[in-house]
Structure formats: C-alpha cells, structure tokens
Amino acid sequence: MAVTVAVVGATGVVGREMLRVLEQRKFPAAKVVALASARSVGAKIPFAGGELVVREATPDAFEGVGIALMSAGAAASRQLGPEAAKRGAIVIDNSSAWRMDPDVPLVVPEVNMDAAKQRPKGIIANPNCSTIQMVVALKPLHDAARIKHIVVSTYQAASGKGHAAQLELEEQVRAVAKGESPVAKIFPAPLAMNVVMDWKAGELDYSEEELKMVNETRKIFGDDTIGVSPTTVRVPVDTGHAESVHVQFHRPMDVEEAKSLLRNAPGVRFVDGPYAPGNHPQPIQAAGTDDVFVGRVRKDLAIPGAINLFVVADNLRKGAALNAVQIAERLSL
Ligand SMILES: NC(=O)c1ccc[n+]([C@@H]2O[C@H](COP(=O)([O-])OP(=O)(O)OC[C@H]3O[C@@H](n4cnc5c(N)ncnc54)[C@H](OP(=O)(O)O)[C@@H]3O)[C@@H](O)[C@H]2O)c1
C-alpha cells in the first residue's frame, strides 16, 4: 500500500540523500513531505522533477504519515520519533537515539531484516555508518565460520559529520591551495592535510564512535561474545568511509573460501585481483554508489585462519539513506 513518507532532516546531507534515493529507486510513496527545524521552514528542495517546500517537524506534522525517515540528530529523534509512532507512522531512525534500546530493532537488510518484524515502539534504528558497511562485508564470513574477534581501523569522510563539516573541509582545502592556513571551527583541528579523531569521548578512553562499532556489531549479529577492537579516524575525504578489518573466526577461514563467499554476497562489490598499487576499494569510486566495496582480502601473516580485508562504502547512501530506504522497501505494510 502506498503511504505518505516524511523525510525529517530533509535539508541535511543525509536527508537530501534520502530524497535522491527515494526518487532514484522510484519508492512507491503516495506523497513525500520534507520536514526540518523551524530555521528551514519554506526552503525548497528539488524532488522528482518538482520541489518540496520544507515544513517544521512538529508532532502534528506526522498526522497521516505512514513512514518517517528521520535524520535530524538524536535529540530531535528522541522527541519526535515517539510522536510520529503514536500517530501510526513506522519510524526508521538514522540517529544514535534508539539504536541500543532493547525494544528497537537495529537493522541492516542484508544481515538481519527479520529483526524489523518486532518493533514494539514503532521505531526501527539504522546503525552507524561505519558499522553498516562492516557488517555487510562480514555477514557471509560470520555465517560460514562464526566471528570471534574483529580489529577495525576506520578512515572516515568529512560528510559523516554533516553538511557543515563537509563545507568546512572544502574551505580548508581551498585555503591550503592558496597557501593559507586551514581554519578549524567544526573539527577540533584542521582536517585538510591531516587526520583527526573528532568524536565525543565515550568510556575507557574510547570515543563514542568506537563504542558504537562494538555494541552495534554485537546487536546486529545477535552475538555478545564477538570481540571488537576499534580505532576510528577522520580523513580528508568528502564522502566514502574506508575500513581496514582483521577478523578471527571460531574455525580457520581459508582465504579462497572468504573470496568466494564475498564474490556472491548481497550488497557487496568484490574488488578482485592480486595486490597492485591502486587496485583496492577507494572512496572516490564508492561515492554515489549503493555497494559495499570489499578488496585486499588476505590471510593474516601471524594468526592462522584469520583474514584481513579493506571495506569502503558511501557513508551517506549505504551508511545512512540507502539502508533506511531499503528497510522501508522491505516492510510489509
Ligand atoms: N552524515 C552521515 O554520514 C550520517 C550517517 C549515518 C547517520 N547519520 C545521522 O543522521 C543525522 C543527520 O546527520 P546529517 O549528517 O544529515 O547532518 P546535517 O547535514 O547537519 O543535517 C541535520 C538535519 O537535521 C535537521 N534538524 C536539526 N535539528 C532539528 C530539530 N530539532 N527538528 C527537526 N530537524 C532538525 C536540520 O534541519 P535545519 O537545516 O533546519 O537545521 C538538518 O536537516 C544525525 O543523527 C547523524 O548522526 C549521519
């Protein structure tokens, strides 16, 4: 049944991508409405050959809405998610607000779509962008040999921090090109010509982003015994997160078996061939696409039966907007 779809945070970098994805995939919506904060009321956003006029995301704005795709930050989601659900909408939320709530499924369609059937609060959470691409790549390996331990280091793009951060990196790059010093306002240090760890502190000297990778991976795979050792890093890339991933299993994984599983894995684009300079998944190739690119699949040199791989995906699409729309497509309404 075609329902009204509300995109909340429609002026943001993820919200705009959601509208693009809905249009590109010809999502069968009866109507699409664009909602954001009071600051953006009246702004016009191109959609399906016309334009949507942004309205304020108040509780009443959800009357008649069947699906609410939310990407307006955790505070707005905490307040508006239950209001939308109370009015009958299924909420698919991109923020961190609900991800670890035991009554909210945390869903990546290629991995655990069944979890979306039980949604006592009417809310489904979209995982963190770094987690989504990693679990899509690891799902076939986990099914075959059960993961024991993951060591992951990320190389995350500026757009993962929102539109203003994306513009700040552009400004910094322009400044560097003119021989000027890059100015950091949103980032805690210049990102141009640098790498930065810019997330809030979590616990035990890990950042919140690092802890999200630990907790969300366990919840999505439904296995609290999986060890995750994360280090998350921001790099001067516009869009496309990259991850170096080392995986140990409960039984030895042969590298040829891993490659064969990955070649056939849903959502994965396998980057084949032996090591050669430049022959690896790259953010510049993944940006704007739907796939999780996986390459550099190697046996670990020190730990028998362990595998190393390199995983890249568009953080705004599979890491956020696309994953949310794929969930919506697979809901039986
Ligand atoms: N960027 C990514 O790669 C990524 C990936 C996964 C998840 N996410 C999550 O997605 C959410 C949005 O991120 P973003 O990167 O798109 O940020 P962004 O570019 O800064 O956009 C934020 C959006 O939220 C809206 N907003 C803020 N406060 C609001 C309120 N009180 N009520 C209604 N709308 C409000 C803003 O509207 P105004 O324009 O009116 O201020 C804007 O549309 C965040 O929760 C983020 O953690 C982002």
Side-chain angles (χ1 to χ4, degrees), residues 8-15 35-40 57 71-74 76 79-80 94-96 99 127-129 159-164 241 315-316 319-320:
V8 189
T11 52
V13 69
V14 172
L35 306 176
S37 80
R39 292 179 288 275
S40 303
S71 65
Q79 190 217 334
L80 294 171
N94 265 278
S95 81
S96 58
R99 289 182 190 148
N128 179 265
C129 39
S159 62
K161 203 176 175 73
H163 187 52
H241 289 352
N315 50 292
L316 302 175

PDB file of all heavy atoms in Angstrom, residues 8-15 35-40 57 71-74 76 79-80 94-96 99 127-129 159-164 241 315-316 319-320, ligand 1:
ATOM      1  N   VAL A   8      12.585  13.548   7.622  1.00  0.00           N
ATOM      2  CA  VAL A   8      12.820  14.511   8.705  1.00  0.00           C
ATOM      3  C   VAL A   8      14.329  14.805   8.745  1.00  0.00           C
ATOM      4  O   VAL A   8      15.135  13.882   8.868  1.00  0.00           O
ATOM      5  CB  VAL A   8      12.364  13.944  10.065  1.00  0.00           C
ATOM      6  CG1 VAL A   8      12.403  15.035  11.133  1.00  0.00           C
ATOM      7  CG2 VAL A   8      10.980  13.324   9.959  1.00  0.00           C
ATOM      8  N   GLY A   9      14.677  16.101   8.621  1.00  0.00           N
ATOM      9  CA  GLY A   9      16.085  16.470   8.444  1.00  0.00           C
ATOM     10  C   GLY A   9      16.371  16.595   6.953  1.00  0.00           C
ATOM     11  O   GLY A   9      17.489  16.352   6.500  1.00  0.00           O
ATOM     12  N   ALA A  10      15.324  16.977   6.209  1.00  0.00           N
ATOM     13  CA  ALA A  10      15.396  16.974   4.737  1.00  0.00           C
ATOM     14  C   ALA A  10      16.401  17.969   4.183  1.00  0.00           C
ATOM     15  O   ALA A  10      16.833  17.843   3.031  1.00  0.00           O
ATOM     16  CB  ALA A  10      14.005  17.258   4.161  1.00  0.00           C
ATOM     17  N   THR A  11      16.792  18.960   4.978  1.00  0.00           N
ATOM     18  CA  THR A  11      17.779  19.940   4.494  1.00  0.00           C
ATOM     19  C   THR A  11      19.215  19.484   4.769  1.00  0.00           C
ATOM     20  O   THR A  11      20.164  20.122   4.324  1.00  0.00           O
ATOM     21  CB  THR A  11      17.562  21.302   5.198  1.00  0.00           C
ATOM     22  OG1 THR A  11      17.531  21.050   6.612  1.00  0.00           O
ATOM     23  CG2 THR A  11      16.262  21.955   4.769  1.00  0.00           C
ATOM     24  N   GLY A  12      19.368  18.406   5.498  1.00  0.00           N
ATOM     25  CA  GLY A  12      20.713  17.940   5.865  1.00  0.00           C
ATOM     26  C   GLY A  12      21.312  17.072   4.780  1.00  0.00           C
ATOM     27  O   GLY A  12      20.662  16.732   3.784  1.00  0.00           O
ATOM     28  N   VAL A  13      22.561  16.690   4.984  1.00  0.00           N
ATOM     29  CA  VAL A  13      23.264  15.940   3.948  1.00  0.00           C
ATOM     30  C   VAL A  13      22.671  14.535   3.802  1.00  0.00           C
ATOM     31  O   VAL A  13      22.531  14.019   2.690  1.00  0.00           O
ATOM     32  CB  VAL A  13      24.790  15.965   4.236  1.00  0.00           C
ATOM     33  CG1 VAL A  13      25.172  15.161   5.452  1.00  0.00           C
ATOM     34  CG2 VAL A  13      25.581  15.505   3.048  1.00  0.00           C
ATOM     35  N   VAL A  14      22.226  13.913   4.899  1.00  0.00           N
ATOM     36  CA  VAL A  14      21.585  12.590   4.794  1.00  0.00           C
ATOM     37  C   VAL A  14      20.158  12.738   4.267  1.00  0.00           C
ATOM     38  O   VAL A  14      19.717  11.972   3.401  1.00  0.00           O
ATOM     39  CB  VAL A  14      21.586  11.852   6.154  1.00  0.00           C
ATOM     40  CG1 VAL A  14      20.760  10.576   6.073  1.00  0.00           C
ATOM     41  CG2 VAL A  14      23.004  11.507   6.585  1.00  0.00           C
ATOM     42  N   GLY A  15      19.422  13.739   4.751  1.00  0.00           N
ATOM     43  CA  GLY A  15      18.035  13.943   4.311  1.00  0.00           C
ATOM     44  C   GLY A  15      17.961  14.167   2.810  1.00  0.00           C
ATOM     45  O   GLY A  15      17.103  13.598   2.118  1.00  0.00           O
ATOM     46  N   LEU A  35      10.559  17.627   6.085  1.00  0.00           N
ATOM     47  CA  LEU A  35      10.478  18.299   7.384  1.00  0.00           C
ATOM     48  C   LEU A  35      11.885  18.612   7.888  1.00  0.00           C
ATOM     49  O   LEU A  35      12.833  17.867   7.626  1.00  0.00           O
ATOM     50  CB  LEU A  35       9.763  17.411   8.411  1.00  0.00           C
ATOM     51  CG  LEU A  35       8.365  16.886   8.037  1.00  0.00           C
ATOM     52  CD1 LEU A  35       7.844  15.955   9.122  1.00  0.00           C
ATOM     53  CD2 LEU A  35       7.386  18.035   7.822  1.00  0.00           C
ATOM     54  N   ALA A  36      12.018  19.725   8.590  1.00  0.00           N
ATOM     55  CA  ALA A  36      13.307  20.088   9.206  1.00  0.00           C
ATOM     56  C   ALA A  36      13.002  20.993  10.392  1.00  0.00           C
ATOM     57  O   ALA A  36      11.854  21.033  10.867  1.00  0.00           O
ATOM     58  CB  ALA A  36      14.221  20.762   8.184  1.00  0.00           C
ATOM     59  N   SER A  37      13.993  21.716  10.870  1.00  0.00           N
ATOM     60  CA  SER A  37      13.749  22.589  12.029  1.00  0.00           C
ATOM     61  C   SER A  37      13.040  23.871  11.574  1.00  0.00           C
ATOM     62  O   SER A  37      12.921  24.137  10.368  1.00  0.00           O
ATOM     63  CB  SER A  37      15.076  22.940  12.705  1.00  0.00           C
ATOM     64  OG  SER A  37      15.703  23.971  11.984  1.00  0.00           O
ATOM     65  N   ALA A  38      12.636  24.671  12.558  1.00  0.00           N
ATOM     66  CA  ALA A  38      11.945  25.930  12.255  1.00  0.00           C
ATOM     67  C   ALA A  38      12.815  26.841  11.382  1.00  0.00           C
ATOM     68  O   ALA A  38      12.301  27.648  10.598  1.00  0.00           O
ATOM     69  CB  ALA A  38      11.574  26.634  13.559  1.00  0.00           C
ATOM     70  N   ARG A  39      14.140  26.671  11.482  1.00  0.00           N
ATOM     71  CA  ARG A  39      15.066  27.502  10.693  1.00  0.00           C
ATOM     72  C   ARG A  39      14.840  27.374   9.197  1.00  0.00           C
ATOM     73  O   ARG A  39      15.123  28.289   8.444  1.00  0.00           O
ATOM     74  CB  ARG A  39      16.530  27.072  10.970  1.00  0.00           C
ATOM     75  CG  ARG A  39      17.062  27.345  12.336  1.00  0.00           C
ATOM     76  CD  ARG A  39      18.502  26.850  12.444  1.00  0.00           C
ATOM     77  NE  ARG A  39      18.624  25.393  12.483  1.00  0.00           N
ATOM     78  CZ  ARG A  39      18.520  24.654  13.587  1.00  0.00           C
ATOM     79  NH1 ARG A  39      18.316  25.225  14.741  1.00  0.00           N
ATOM     80  NH2 ARG A  39      18.625  23.330  13.533  1.00  0.00           N
ATOM     81  N   SER A  40      14.364  26.214   8.762  1.00  0.00           N
ATOM     82  CA  SER A  40      14.310  25.925   7.324  1.00  0.00           C
ATOM     83  C   SER A  40      12.914  26.015   6.720  1.00  0.00           C
ATOM     84  O   SER A  40      12.734  25.682   5.548  1.00  0.00           O
ATOM     85  CB  SER A  40      14.839  24.513   7.064  1.00  0.00           C
ATOM     86  OG  SER A  40      16.134  24.399   7.559  1.00  0.00           O
ATOM     87  N   ALA A  57       9.199  20.246  11.585  1.00  0.00           N
ATOM     88  CA  ALA A  57       8.942  18.900  12.125  1.00  0.00           C
ATOM     89  C   ALA A  57       8.342  19.025  13.517  1.00  0.00           C
ATOM     90  O   ALA A  57       9.044  18.914  14.520  1.00  0.00           O
ATOM     91  CB  ALA A  57      10.231  18.096  12.158  1.00  0.00           C
ATOM     92  N   SER A  71      16.452  11.798  10.029  1.00  0.00           N
ATOM     93  CA  SER A  71      17.904  12.038  10.122  1.00  0.00           C
ATOM     94  C   SER A  71      18.089  13.485  10.560  1.00  0.00           C
ATOM     95  O   SER A  71      18.556  14.332   9.803  1.00  0.00           O
ATOM     96  CB  SER A  71      18.607  11.770   8.799  1.00  0.00           C
ATOM     97  OG  SER A  71      18.185  12.672   7.826  1.00  0.00           O
ATOM     98  N   ALA A  72      17.682  13.753  11.791  1.00  0.00           N
ATOM     99  CA  ALA A  72      17.717  15.121  12.310  1.00  0.00           C
ATOM    100  C   ALA A  72      18.483  15.193  13.629  1.00  0.00           C
ATOM    101  O   ALA A  72      18.302  16.128  14.397  1.00  0.00           O
ATOM    102  CB  ALA A  72      16.289  15.632  12.480  1.00  0.00           C
ATOM    103  N   GLY A  73      19.304  14.197  13.884  1.00  0.00           N
ATOM    104  CA  GLY A  73      20.075  14.182  15.126  1.00  0.00           C
ATOM    105  C   GLY A  73      19.320  13.473  16.249  1.00  0.00           C
ATOM    106  O   GLY A  73      18.088  13.314  16.191  1.00  0.00           O
ATOM    107  N   ALA A  74      20.067  13.065  17.277  1.00  0.00           N
ATOM    108  CA  ALA A  74      19.496  12.227  18.333  1.00  0.00           C
ATOM    109  C   ALA A  74      18.447  12.980  19.171  1.00  0.00           C
ATOM    110  O   ALA A  74      17.419  12.399  19.548  1.00  0.00           O
ATOM    111  CB  ALA A  74      20.608  11.697  19.237  1.00  0.00           C
ATOM    112  N   ALA A  76      16.361  15.423  18.325  1.00  0.00           N
ATOM    113  CA  ALA A  76      15.087  15.510  17.598  1.00  0.00           C
ATOM    114  C   ALA A  76      14.429  14.133  17.513  1.00  0.00           C
ATOM    115  O   ALA A  76      13.202  14.004  17.630  1.00  0.00           O
ATOM    116  CB  ALA A  76      15.323  16.086  16.197  1.00  0.00           C
ATOM    117  N   GLN A  79      12.678  13.146  20.728  1.00  0.00           N
ATOM    118  CA  GLN A  79      11.430  13.880  20.944  1.00  0.00           C
ATOM    119  C   GLN A  79      10.366  13.495  19.908  1.00  0.00           C
ATOM    120  O   GLN A  79       9.221  13.211  20.251  1.00  0.00           O
ATOM    121  CB  GLN A  79      11.733  15.394  20.854  1.00  0.00           C
ATOM    122  CG  GLN A  79      10.581  16.277  21.282  1.00  0.00           C
ATOM    123  CD  GLN A  79      10.469  17.536  20.437  1.00  0.00           C
ATOM    124  OE1 GLN A  79      11.456  18.017  19.856  1.00  0.00           O
ATOM    125  NE2 GLN A  79       9.269  18.073  20.354  1.00  0.00           N
ATOM    126  N   LEU A  80      10.750  13.459  18.622  1.00  0.00           N
ATOM    127  CA  LEU A  80       9.751  13.321  17.565  1.00  0.00           C
ATOM    128  C   LEU A  80       9.464  11.881  17.159  1.00  0.00           C
ATOM    129  O   LEU A  80       8.382  11.593  16.651  1.00  0.00           O
ATOM    130  CB  LEU A  80      10.209  14.120  16.322  1.00  0.00           C
ATOM    131  CG  LEU A  80      10.260  15.634  16.506  1.00  0.00           C
ATOM    132  CD1 LEU A  80      10.936  16.295  15.307  1.00  0.00           C
ATOM    133  CD2 LEU A  80       8.841  16.198  16.701  1.00  0.00           C
ATOM    134  N   ASN A  94      17.841   7.357  11.777  1.00  0.00           N
ATOM    135  CA  ASN A  94      19.287   7.323  11.478  1.00  0.00           C
ATOM    136  C   ASN A  94      20.168   7.783  12.622  1.00  0.00           C
ATOM    137  O   ASN A  94      21.383   7.674  12.533  1.00  0.00           O
ATOM    138  CB  ASN A  94      19.569   8.253  10.298  1.00  0.00           C
ATOM    139  CG  ASN A  94      19.591   7.505   9.005  1.00  0.00           C
ATOM    140  OD1 ASN A  94      20.584   6.893   8.649  1.00  0.00           O
ATOM    141  ND2 ASN A  94      18.471   7.502   8.313  1.00  0.00           N
ATOM    142  N   SER A  95      19.596   8.338  13.651  1.00  0.00           N
ATOM    143  CA  SER A  95      20.429   8.878  14.729  1.00  0.00           C
ATOM    144  C   SER A  95      20.829   7.757  15.692  1.00  0.00           C
ATOM    145  O   SER A  95      20.382   6.622  15.574  1.00  0.00           O
ATOM    146  CB  SER A  95      19.664   9.963  15.493  1.00  0.00           C
ATOM    147  OG  SER A  95      18.789   9.343  16.419  1.00  0.00           O
ATOM    148  N   SER A  96      21.617   8.137  16.694  1.00  0.00           N
ATOM    149  CA  SER A  96      22.039   7.141  17.688  1.00  0.00           C
ATOM    150  C   SER A  96      21.011   6.980  18.814  1.00  0.00           C
ATOM    151  O   SER A  96      21.202   6.172  19.716  1.00  0.00           O
ATOM    152  CB  SER A  96      23.386   7.574  18.283  1.00  0.00           C
ATOM    153  OG  SER A  96      23.240   8.856  18.863  1.00  0.00           O
ATOM    154  N   ARG A  99      19.319   3.224  18.957  1.00  0.00           N
ATOM    155  CA  ARG A  99      19.989   2.011  18.442  1.00  0.00           C
ATOM    156  C   ARG A  99      20.169   0.914  19.473  1.00  0.00           C
ATOM    157  O   ARG A  99      20.049  -0.263  19.159  1.00  0.00           O
ATOM    158  CB  ARG A  99      21.365   2.387  17.874  1.00  0.00           C
ATOM    159  CG  ARG A  99      21.267   3.179  16.585  1.00  0.00           C
ATOM    160  CD  ARG A  99      22.652   3.477  16.065  1.00  0.00           C
ATOM    161  NE  ARG A  99      22.593   4.427  14.977  1.00  0.00           N
ATOM    162  CZ  ARG A  99      23.537   5.323  14.726  1.00  0.00           C
ATOM    163  NH1 ARG A  99      24.604   5.393  15.496  1.00  0.00           N
ATOM    164  NH2 ARG A  99      23.419   6.141  13.702  1.00  0.00           N
ATOM    165  N   PRO A 127      21.754   1.523  11.801  1.00  0.00           N
ATOM    166  CA  PRO A 127      23.023   1.586  12.540  1.00  0.00           C
ATOM    167  C   PRO A 127      23.904   2.749  12.097  1.00  0.00           C
ATOM    168  O   PRO A 127      23.645   3.409  11.090  1.00  0.00           O
ATOM    169  CB  PRO A 127      23.692   0.252  12.206  1.00  0.00           C
ATOM    170  CG  PRO A 127      22.590  -0.624  11.696  1.00  0.00           C
ATOM    171  CD  PRO A 127      21.604   0.294  11.039  1.00  0.00           C
ATOM    172  N   ASN A 128      24.970   2.938  12.833  1.00  0.00           N
ATOM    173  CA  ASN A 128      26.014   3.904  12.494  1.00  0.00           C
ATOM    174  C   ASN A 128      26.625   3.523  11.137  1.00  0.00           C
ATOM    175  O   ASN A 128      26.741   2.345  10.806  1.00  0.00           O
ATOM    176  CB  ASN A 128      27.067   3.792  13.608  1.00  0.00           C
ATOM    177  CG  ASN A 128      28.227   4.703  13.385  1.00  0.00           C
ATOM    178  OD1 ASN A 128      29.244   4.311  12.830  1.00  0.00           O
ATOM    179  ND2 ASN A 128      28.089   5.928  13.801  1.00  0.00           N
ATOM    180  N   CYS A 129      27.038   4.547  10.386  1.00  0.00           N
ATOM    181  CA  CYS A 129      27.549   4.295   9.026  1.00  0.00           C
ATOM    182  C   CYS A 129      28.751   3.341   9.003  1.00  0.00           C
ATOM    183  O   CYS A 129      28.833   2.457   8.145  1.00  0.00           O
ATOM    184  CB  CYS A 129      27.908   5.620   8.353  1.00  0.00           C
ATOM    185  SG  CYS A 129      28.671   6.821   9.439  1.00  0.00           S
ATOM    186  N   SER A 159      31.849  14.162   5.307  1.00  0.00           N
ATOM    187  CA  SER A 159      30.383  14.265   5.232  1.00  0.00           C
ATOM    188  C   SER A 159      29.698  13.437   6.313  1.00  0.00           C
ATOM    189  O   SER A 159      28.522  13.656   6.596  1.00  0.00           O
ATOM    190  CB  SER A 159      29.880  13.854   3.850  1.00  0.00           C
ATOM    191  OG  SER A 159      30.216  12.511   3.589  1.00  0.00           O
ATOM    192  N   GLY A 160      30.416  12.511   6.923  1.00  0.00           N
ATOM    193  CA  GLY A 160      29.852  11.741   8.031  1.00  0.00           C
ATOM    194  C   GLY A 160      29.515  12.615   9.218  1.00  0.00           C
ATOM    195  O   GLY A 160      28.765  12.221  10.109  1.00  0.00           O
ATOM    196  N   LYS A 161      30.065  13.832   9.243  1.00  0.00           N
ATOM    197  CA  LYS A 161      29.798  14.740  10.367  1.00  0.00           C
ATOM    198  C   LYS A 161      28.751  15.792   9.993  1.00  0.00           C
ATOM    199  O   LYS A 161      28.517  16.727  10.755  1.00  0.00           O
ATOM    200  CB  LYS A 161      31.124  15.418  10.763  1.00  0.00           C
ATOM    201  CG  LYS A 161      31.186  15.948  12.185  1.00  0.00           C
ATOM    202  CD  LYS A 161      32.577  16.505  12.466  1.00  0.00           C
ATOM    203  CE  LYS A 161      32.688  17.163  13.816  1.00  0.00           C
ATOM    204  NZ  LYS A 161      32.691  16.222  14.934  1.00  0.00           N
ATOM    205  N   GLY A 162      28.139  15.637   8.800  1.00  0.00           N
ATOM    206  CA  GLY A 162      27.076  16.566   8.412  1.00  0.00           C
ATOM    207  C   GLY A 162      27.528  17.565   7.360  1.00  0.00           C
ATOM    208  O   GLY A 162      28.709  17.650   7.005  1.00  0.00           O
ATOM    209  N   HIS A 163      26.538  18.318   6.871  1.00  0.00           N
ATOM    210  CA  HIS A 163      26.768  19.223   5.739  1.00  0.00           C
ATOM    211  C   HIS A 163      27.781  20.320   6.072  1.00  0.00           C
ATOM    212  O   HIS A 163      28.663  20.640   5.274  1.00  0.00           O
ATOM    213  CB  HIS A 163      25.417  19.839   5.344  1.00  0.00           C
ATOM    214  CG  HIS A 163      25.487  20.644   4.098  1.00  0.00           C
ATOM    215  ND1 HIS A 163      26.021  20.174   2.918  1.00  0.00           N
ATOM    216  CD2 HIS A 163      25.101  21.922   3.852  1.00  0.00           C
ATOM    217  CE1 HIS A 163      25.964  21.110   2.010  1.00  0.00           C
ATOM    218  NE2 HIS A 163      25.410  22.181   2.543  1.00  0.00           N
ATOM    219  N   ALA A 164      27.660  20.887   7.282  1.00  0.00           N
ATOM    220  CA  ALA A 164      28.553  21.994   7.640  1.00  0.00           C
ATOM    221  C   ALA A 164      30.011  21.526   7.701  1.00  0.00           C
ATOM    222  O   ALA A 164      30.931  22.249   7.298  1.00  0.00           O
ATOM    223  CB  ALA A 164      28.114  22.589   8.979  1.00  0.00           C
ATOM    224  N   HIS A 241      33.481   6.149   3.507  1.00  0.00           N
ATOM    225  CA  HIS A 241      34.301   5.675   4.632  1.00  0.00           C
ATOM    226  C   HIS A 241      35.076   4.432   4.191  1.00  0.00           C
ATOM    227  O   HIS A 241      34.535   3.567   3.492  1.00  0.00           O
ATOM    228  CB  HIS A 241      33.417   5.251   5.810  1.00  0.00           C
ATOM    229  CG  HIS A 241      32.734   6.388   6.527  1.00  0.00           C
ATOM    230  ND1 HIS A 241      32.986   7.715   6.289  1.00  0.00           N
ATOM    231  CD2 HIS A 241      31.798   6.354   7.525  1.00  0.00           C
ATOM    232  CE1 HIS A 241      32.230   8.450   7.090  1.00  0.00           C
ATOM    233  NE2 HIS A 241      31.503   7.657   7.842  1.00  0.00           N
ATOM    234  N   ASN A 315      29.119   6.628   2.839  1.00  0.00           N
ATOM    235  CA  ASN A 315      28.526   6.769   4.180  1.00  0.00           C
ATOM    236  C   ASN A 315      27.150   7.417   4.144  1.00  0.00           C
ATOM    237  O   ASN A 315      26.331   7.197   5.053  1.00  0.00           O
ATOM    238  CB  ASN A 315      29.450   7.579   5.096  1.00  0.00           C
ATOM    239  CG  ASN A 315      29.903   8.881   4.467  1.00  0.00           C
ATOM    240  OD1 ASN A 315      30.671   8.857   3.486  1.00  0.00           O
ATOM    241  ND2 ASN A 315      29.443   9.999   4.980  1.00  0.00           N
ATOM    242  N   LEU A 316      26.870   8.206   3.107  1.00  0.00           N
ATOM    243  CA  LEU A 316      25.561   8.864   3.048  1.00  0.00           C
ATOM    244  C   LEU A 316      24.506   7.941   2.452  1.00  0.00           C
ATOM    245  O   LEU A 316      23.324   8.092   2.724  1.00  0.00           O
ATOM    246  CB  LEU A 316      25.651  10.144   2.196  1.00  0.00           C
ATOM    247  CG  LEU A 316      26.671  11.178   2.680  1.00  0.00           C
ATOM    248  CD1 LEU A 316      26.753  12.338   1.703  1.00  0.00           C
ATOM    249  CD2 LEU A 316      26.293  11.673   4.073  1.00  0.00           C
ATOM    250  N   GLY A 319      25.586   3.827   4.183  1.00  0.00           N
ATOM    251  CA  GLY A 319      25.798   4.140   5.591  1.00  0.00           C
ATOM    252  C   GLY A 319      24.635   4.863   6.248  1.00  0.00           C
ATOM    253  O   GLY A 319      24.615   5.020   7.470  1.00  0.00           O
ATOM    254  N   ALA A 320      23.657   5.306   5.467  1.00  0.00           N
ATOM    255  CA  ALA A 320      22.556   6.067   6.067  1.00  0.00           C
ATOM    256  C   ALA A 320      21.294   5.965   5.202  1.00  0.00           C
ATOM    257  O   ALA A 320      20.439   5.109   5.436  1.00  0.00           O
ATOM    258  CB  ALA A 320      22.974   7.524   6.271  1.00  0.00           C
TER     259      ALA A 320
HETATM  260  N1  LIG B   1      26.341  12.083   7.652  1.00  0.00           N
HETATM  261  C1  LIG B   1      26.396  10.766   7.724  1.00  0.00           C
HETATM  262  O1  LIG B   1      27.198  10.092   7.021  1.00  0.00           O
HETATM  263  C2  LIG B   1      25.479  10.022   8.659  1.00  0.00           C
HETATM  264  C3  LIG B   1      25.484   8.626   8.613  1.00  0.00           C
HETATM  265  C4  LIG B   1      24.657   7.909   9.476  1.00  0.00           C
HETATM  266  C5  LIG B   1      23.821   8.594  10.335  1.00  0.00           C
HETATM  267  N2  LIG B   1      23.836   9.963  10.362  1.00  0.00           N
HETATM  268  C6  LIG B   1      22.920  10.624  11.303  1.00  0.00           C
HETATM  269  O2  LIG B   1      21.939  11.328  10.561  1.00  0.00           O
HETATM  270  C7  LIG B   1      21.539  12.500  11.283  1.00  0.00           C
HETATM  271  C8  LIG B   1      21.672  13.728  10.394  1.00  0.00           C
HETATM  272  O3  LIG B   1      23.018  13.871  10.005  1.00  0.00           O
HETATM  273  P1  LIG B   1      23.488  14.788   8.801  1.00  0.00           P
HETATM  274  O4  LIG B   1      24.881  14.347   8.538  1.00  0.00           O
HETATM  275  O5  LIG B   1      22.496  14.805   7.672  1.00  0.00           O
HETATM  276  O6  LIG B   1      23.513  16.238   9.496  1.00  0.00           O
HETATM  277  P2  LIG B   1      23.276  17.696   8.883  1.00  0.00           P
HETATM  278  O7  LIG B   1      23.759  17.767   7.475  1.00  0.00           O
HETATM  279  O8  LIG B   1      23.855  18.615   9.872  1.00  0.00           O
HETATM  280  O9  LIG B   1      21.673  17.849   8.877  1.00  0.00           O
HETATM  281  C9  LIG B   1      20.909  17.892  10.058  1.00  0.00           C
HETATM  282  C10 LIG B   1      19.437  17.941   9.704  1.00  0.00           C
HETATM  283  O10 LIG B   1      18.672  17.834  10.902  1.00  0.00           O
HETATM  284  C11 LIG B   1      17.738  18.894  10.961  1.00  0.00           C
HETATM  285  N3  LIG B   1      17.439  19.228  12.357  1.00  0.00           N
HETATM  286  C12 LIG B   1      18.305  19.564  13.339  1.00  0.00           C
HETATM  287  N4  LIG B   1      17.640  19.783  14.495  1.00  0.00           N
HETATM  288  C13 LIG B   1      16.331  19.558  14.232  1.00  0.00           C
HETATM  289  C14 LIG B   1      15.118  19.631  15.026  1.00  0.00           C
HETATM  290  N5  LIG B   1      15.149  19.945  16.310  1.00  0.00           N
HETATM  291  N6  LIG B   1      13.951  19.333  14.416  1.00  0.00           N
HETATM  292  C15 LIG B   1      13.912  19.000  13.112  1.00  0.00           C
HETATM  293  N7  LIG B   1      15.000  18.925  12.312  1.00  0.00           N
HETATM  294  C16 LIG B   1      16.196  19.205  12.872  1.00  0.00           C
HETATM  295  C17 LIG B   1      18.427  20.017  10.236  1.00  0.00           C
HETATM  296  O11 LIG B   1      17.460  20.962   9.849  1.00  0.00           O
HETATM  297  P3  LIG B   1      17.848  22.528   9.631  1.00  0.00           P
HETATM  298  O12 LIG B   1      18.522  22.606   8.298  1.00  0.00           O
HETATM  299  O13 LIG B   1      16.515  23.178   9.659  1.00  0.00           O
HETATM  300  O14 LIG B   1      18.754  22.905  10.763  1.00  0.00           O
HETATM  301  C18 LIG B   1      19.017  19.255   9.053  1.00  0.00           C
HETATM  302  O15 LIG B   1      18.018  18.981   8.091  1.00  0.00           O
HETATM  303  C19 LIG B   1      22.409  12.527  12.547  1.00  0.00           C
HETATM  304  O16 LIG B   1      21.675  11.942  13.597  1.00  0.00           O
HETATM  305  C20 LIG B   1      23.577  11.664  12.177  1.00  0.00           C
HETATM  306  O17 LIG B   1      24.179  11.062  13.304  1.00  0.00           O
HETATM  307  C21 LIG B   1      24.638  10.684   9.536  1.00  0.00           C
END
